[in-house]
Amino acid sequence: MYLRIFSSVFALSALTACEATQSPEPEGETLDCAIGAGAELSNVCTLEWVGEERGQEFLVHHPDGGFRRFTLSEDASKVVVKDGAEDVEMVEPAPSGFWQFSVSGDQYLVPLPPPSGA
């Protein structure tokens, strides 16, 4: 019986420890995305620019905790997946001031970065 009580207390403390170490919410501006087949665009993803030079590399954090890392083509005309083998399908024409693209059925509407020096 002592073993059952000890095991229950140990399991409860382990569960509590896991909850206490949750990752903080990502910082950045929210953007429209549609994660999963048949999803509609809604303002639930978070955009995080990476590095000193804003506009070269960025992450899009999904509401479920997942994320994708992207970079720009050399002429900044399109987005490229940095991690993974998926292809980016650019949507043309995109709304003015945005890149619109999809990766494996997930859709993103990302604002263009301001011109350098702005």
Side-chain angles (χ1 to χ4, degrees), residues 49-56:
W49 292 103
V50 178
E52 297 287 325
E53 190 173 338
R54 185 172 188 221
Q56 294 302 308

Side-chain angles (χ1 to χ4, degrees), residues 90-101 108-110 112:
M90 300 299 290
V91 174
E92 298 293 336
S96 180
F98 291 87
W99 288 298
Q100 186 169 1
F101 56 94
Y108 304 96
L109 186 61
V110 176
L112 295 170

Side-chain angles (χ1 to χ4, degrees), residues 6-113:
F6 178 75
S7 296
S8 298
V9 170
F10 179 74
L12 184 58
S13 65
L15 181 61
T16 304
C18 289
E19 290 177 7
T21 60
Q22 283 185 336
S23 298
E25 290 293 319
E27 292 185 23
E29 60 188 284
T30 59
L31 61 95
D32 288 345
C33 64
I35 307 303
E40 297 287 324
L41 283 173
S42 60
N43 198 258
V44 295
C45 287
T46 304
L47 174 64
E48 177 185 353
W49 292 103
V50 178
E52 297 287 325
E53 190 173 338
R54 185 172 188 221
Q56 294 302 308
E57 184 177 325
F58 60 96
L59 282 94
V60 176
H61 296 271
H62 300 171
D64 65 1
F67 67 91
R68 282 209 166 98
R69 184 180 303 267
F70 298 97
T71 189
L72 303 181
S73 63
E74 286 188 28
D75 64 356
S77 65
K78 63 182 179 176
V79 176
V80 180
V81 176
K82 183 149 178 148
D83 301 329
E86 300 98 348
D87 289 328
V88 172
E89 295 180 36
M90 300 299 290
V91 174
E92 298 293 336
S96 180
F98 291 87
W99 288 298
Q100 186 169 1
F101 56 94
S102 67
V103 178
S104 299
D106 296 338
Q107 300 177 53
Y108 304 96
L109 186 61
V110 176
L112 295 170

